[in-house]
Amino acid sequence: MNAERNGTQVRPPADFIRRRIAADVAAGRNAGRVVTRFPPEPNGYLHIGHAKSICLNFGIAREFNGVCHLRMDDTNPITEEQEYIAAIKRDVKWLGYDWGQRFHHASDYFEQMYNYAETLIQRGLAYVCELSPEEWKEYRGVPERPGRESPYRNRPPQENLRLFRRMRAGEFPDGAMVLRAKIDMASPNLHLRDPVLYRIIHSPHPHTGDRWCIYPTYDFAHPIEDSIEGITHSLCTLEFEVHRPLYDWILDQLQIHHPAQIEFARLNLSYTIMSKRRLQELVEGGYVKGWDDPRMPTIAGLRRRGYTPEAIRAFAERVGITKVESMSDIALLEHCIRDDLNRRAPRRLAVLEPLRLVIDNYPEDAVEEFSAVNNPEDHSAGTRPVPFSRELFIERNDFRLDPPKKFHRLAPGREVRLRYACIVRCTDVVRDPKSGDVTEIHCTFDPASRGGSAPDGRRIRGTIHWVSARHAVPIEVRLYDRLFTRPDPLDVEDGKTFLDYLNPDSLRTITAYAEPSLRNTVPPTVYQFERLGYFCADPDSSPERPVFNRTATLRDSWARLEKQAAR
Ligand code: ATP
Ligand code: MG
């Protein structure tokens, strides 16, 4: 399709939107220019669904040598906040995109929108209507039958103009009247049955102050915003498909630059929710600690959890762009972060549930250092020393009194390799006399196995991780699980709400023990704790108490559980 640019091969357009844009460019439409936009309403933090739209709009601009605008769709005066605007900018930048000088507010165009509304009135294409909201709904009717015309529909343009100006001047209370387009009350598309263009809202606006008491509807404002900014392709989610005839009608009647609206399926993700309104409920209800709680599907939450922009962009590419509503599996997102971190995350040793291991034939006060590989996927990352001494912590579940078949880790009488260090044999076990729980295990080590392998070549099947008890740094570890217990939390049973499906175990906080190099970690560094998963330093960390969020387990433990259950 579109071949080479700057000598580099451009990948063939992958989805129907890119194919369409490539065709437009090839046909010389818009003089071959591509201008897209990402237009969030600043009424909450961006979520992973928005990331899909950001990657699409900014990605297309990049691929087609175009530009992408970042526009605050702030036509609703009531819900917007500066905090959200700052968060939106931070998140788009962090994802790796740049809007340059093209940061806009829809509210900057209020005067122009108002003038366009007057134009429609003067041409007899809009009228001031005094039906109450209930009457308006009833007159509009249902798709199968034509609606009824408002008794105000045939007011002369001059009278409409006078009334509209008085609406602007603040002479009427909220809801007293609206401005409606005069289109077709018999259209099977309800959005064309004289839709509302302006309503009275006596409320100051965060950006325009108290300059306005009438505000345009989304349907009227959006095509005009796109047109003013010279957008060529206005990409939006499928629910706007039925609004497209109205988008086109407004621009056709005003005879101004006419972007093409193209719809694609929104991202839905299992075990979470994608609606800002509901996410806000979680924040305000105290169900999570904030918009950036690492359990949230927000970009800020994913960042704090340890997700990388690369992983999120890879995810957006993997889910692709289609016209069919579907639910993406959160396991795919988790796969993308594992894939990325496997390549980059430095390895460290940490023990989440410690069991004390004493090496009886190791001198009391001796300390030695073993050299541990920082990243087997990246040899340039080098090695680091880890201290070793007589008393260690190992993972409690790496020891079994009665090992089942195929358990190759530590058990009475058995040998195991301590990663990077040596081979030990379990000789004795100390148990709590009351509970019978193992509280300590005793081992001997084979001095000839320093470095990890047996000199006589005997086979050691298990390798476990450890930390030196006296050198270990206690760290707080926050273990996260899915936020909801069912794939679609909005698919609720009678009398329930999505809040009833919150996972009560979505956060478990423990004290773990880490090798000393983790003492001074700065967020957002992500490590792989060997054999355990990926863990990211949290901003709550202090030098006295490092805090880590579990970004992801090493493997998809849910898939494993589901497999086991199916057996
Ligand atoms: P929400 O329901 O979460 O509030 P919204 O669509 O109202 O979402 P906006 O701030 O208006 O949120 O959205 C900005 C842009 O992001 C729009 O172009 C919208 O189509 C897109 N978008 C929102 N949610 C998704 C999603 N789940 N998948 C893909 N794109 C999305
Ligand atoms: Mg919205």
Side-chain angles (χ1 to χ4, degrees):
M1 203 152 290
N2 68 322
E4 281 177 35
R5 208 173 289 136
N6 306 333
T8 53
Q9 190 73 36
V10 173
R11 262 195 285 171
D15 54 67
F16 75 96
I17 294 182
R18 287 174 165 88
R19 284 197 295 276
R20 155 94 187 259
I21 294 179
D24 286 349
V25 170
R29 257 173 231 126
N30 303 302
R33 273 173 54 77
V34 173
V35 184
T36 56
R37 87 282 175 266
F38 175 65
E41 189 184 343
N43 61 348
Y45 278 55
L46 298 180
H47 51 60
I48 180 83
H50 294 113
K52 172 175 176 173
S53 177
I54 293 167
C55 292
L56 179 69
N57 282 293
F58 282 92
I60 282 176
R62 194 177 281 172
E63 290 155 38
F64 289 90
N65 278 333
V67 292
C68 180
H69 298 199
L70 177 61
R71 180 198 310 150
M72 298 301 110
D73 208 344
D74 59 351
T75 50
N76 180 353
I78 292 154
T79 51
E80 291 122 19
E81 281 183 35
Q82 287 308 311
E83 178 200 347
Y84 297 141
I85 295 178
I88 288 167
K89 287 176 146 178
R90 194 181 325 125
D91 290 346
V92 173
K93 260 199 198 129
W94 178 78
L95 275 175
Y97 298 108
D98 181 14
W99 54 86
Q101 301 299 306
R102 296 165 213 92
F103 177 72
H104 303 289
H105 285 90
S107 57
D108 285 342
Y109 314 132
F110 278 168
E111 191 65 41
Q112 210 158 344
M113 290 175 193
Y114 176 85
N115 290 333
Y116 284 137
E118 285 209 349
T119 303
L120 291 183
I121 294 170
Q122 277 158 347
R123 294 206 200 130
L125 295 168
Y127 60 97
V128 173
C129 179
E130 293 168 57
L131 290 180
S132 69
E134 296 75 36
E135 289 168 323
W136 171 79
K137 223 170 153 185
E138 191 212 313
Y139 275 65
R140 192 171 62 154
V142 291
E144 301 78 50
R145 284 189 307 276
R148 276 192 295 148
E149 295 189 351
S150 158
Y152 306 100
R153 196 173 199 259
N154 295 313
R155 274 203 231 259
Q158 277 319 308
E159 195 183 324
N160 283 314
L161 202 55
R162 267 197 306 276
L163 279 171
F164 189 50
R165 288 178 180 166
R166 290 177 61 197
M167 277 169 66
R168 176 181 184 167
E171 292 185 28
F172 308 109
D174 287 9
M177 50 190 73
V178 294
L179 183 72
R180 296 175 69 177
K182 191 169 176 178
I183 307 180
D184 179 7
M185 288 307 292
S187 171
N189 183 339
L190 292 185
H191 298 285
L192 292 180
R193 292 188 183 175
D194 293 8
V196 175
L197 305 182
Y198 265 90
R199 57 237 190 295
I200 302 171
I201 305 174
H202 286 272
S203 175
H205 184 285
H207 207 62
T208 59
D210 52 12
R211 222 170 312 148
W212 295 91
C213 62
I214 56 172
Y215 291 94
T217 55
Y218 177 91
D219 279 333
F220 184 60
H222 209 80
I224 295 176
E225 296 159 19
D226 284 346
S227 179
I228 291 172
E229 292 181 14
I231 302 300
T232 58
H233 299 87
S234 176
L235 313 179
C236 60
T237 39
L238 278 183
E239 66 271 24
F240 290 103
E241 194 165 19
V242 285
H243 296 243
R244 176 156 31 99
L246 178 54
Y247 183 100
D248 290 338
W249 183 90
I250 290 165
L251 297 174
D252 285 341
Q253 298 306 326
L254 293 172
Q255 298 172 354
I256 53 180
H257 168 70
H258 195 145
Q261 176 181 306
I262 310 173
E263 308 85 15
F264 63 95
R266 63 171 42 233
L267 175 75
N268 299 302
L269 195 57
S270 60
Y271 296 98
T272 190
I273 48 174
M274 285 292 108
S275 137
K276 278 182 284 187
R277 188 171 55 75
R278 294 200 176 86
L279 293 174
Q280 183 164 34
E281 255 185 271
L282 293 181
V283 174
E284 286 178 354
Y287 300 98
V288 294
K289 290 181 194 159
W291 284 99
D292 69 345
D293 185 301
R295 290 167 289 184
M296 291 280 271
T298 51
I299 296 176
L302 291 166
R303 175 169 60 233
R304 186 161 180 180
R305 176 86 173 250
Y307 274 68
T308 59
E310 290 81 359
I312 294 176
R313 292 200 304 261
F315 171 71
E317 193 165 320
R318 291 281 289 268
V319 296
I321 300 298
T322 68
K323 270 261 182 207
V324 192
E325 281 293 352
S326 69
M327 166 93 76
S328 296
D329 191 343
I330 199 164
L332 178 61
L333 179 63
E334 293 163 351
H335 167 82
C336 290
I337 188 61
R338 281 190 198 103
D339 195 43
D340 187 40
L341 292 179
N342 178 46
R343 265 175 275 138
R344 335 203 244 155
R347 273 48 169 180
R348 291 292 182 266
L349 296 178
V351 170
L352 297 188
E353 295 193 47
L355 174 62
R356 188 174 291 268
L357 182 156
V358 182
I359 305 173
D360 293 324
N361 63 339
Y362 196 87
E364 294 259 344
D365 298 324
V367 176
E368 66 189 290
E369 285 180 337
F370 288 107
S371 167
V373 174
N374 281 331
N375 185 351
E377 306 282 322
D378 172 10
H379 290 291
S380 71
T383 61
R384 68 187 186 288
V386 275
F388 181 89
S389 63
R390 178 183 159 92
E391 298 202 6
L392 311 175
F393 290 130
I394 64 165
E395 209 68 61
R396 184 162 280 279
N397 65 11
D398 279 336
F399 175 81
R400 290 286 192 93
L401 274 175
D402 294 308
K405 247 173 126 177
K406 289 195 181 158
F407 183 86
H408 299 304
R409 292 164 274 162
L410 207 53
R414 292 229 189 138
E415 278 192 312
V416 80
R417 177 181 297 105
L418 298 177
R419 182 95 160 132
Y420 304 121
C422 60
I423 296 167
V424 293
R425 180 187 297 279
C426 175
T427 52
D428 200 6
V429 175
V430 181
R431 297 169 71 166
D432 183 296
K434 278 211 196 91
S435 66
D437 291 346
V438 176
T439 54
E440 188 174 290
I441 57 179
H442 286 257
C443 291
T444 53
F445 93 115
D446 176 356
S449 69
R450 280 200 167 88
S453 50
D456 56 3
R458 69 181 185 275
R459 188 149 176 234
I460 306 295
R461 295 181 73 174
T463 300
I464 65 174
H465 61 275
W466 54 274
V467 292
S468 164
R470 107 161 86 126
H471 300 94
V473 182
I475 58 174
E476 177 176 325
V477 172
R478 298 174 182 169
L479 300 169
Y480 297 104
D481 201 342
R482 289 172 182 174
L483 188 51
F484 290 94
T485 51
R486 42 164 70 195
D488 183 358
L490 298 182
D491 176 20
V492 296
E493 290 148 318
D494 275 353
K496 301 219 163 177
T497 77
F498 74 104
L499 296 171
D500 291 306
Y501 304 114
L502 278 165
N503 178 3
D505 302 318
S506 61
L507 169 59
R508 191 159 68 90
T509 303
I510 60 170
T511 298
Y513 293 89
E515 64 170 83
S517 71
L518 284 178
R519 193 183 306 274
N520 294 310
T521 308
V522 233
T525 320
V526 190
Y527 294 103
Q528 184 193 104
F529 291 175
E530 292 207 33
R531 300 180 62 233
L532 297 174
Y534 297 98
F535 293 79
C536 173
D538 189 85
D540 287 346
S541 294
S542 65
E544 299 75 45
R545 188 155 182 83
V547 178
F548 283 86
N549 297 311
R550 181 169 69 195
T551 311
T553 51
L554 276 188
R555 271 175 299 273
D556 183 351
S557 49
W558 278 65
R560 224 169 44 219
L561 288 178
E562 278 158 24
K563 233 189 191 159
Q564 273 168 13
R567 255 189 236 141

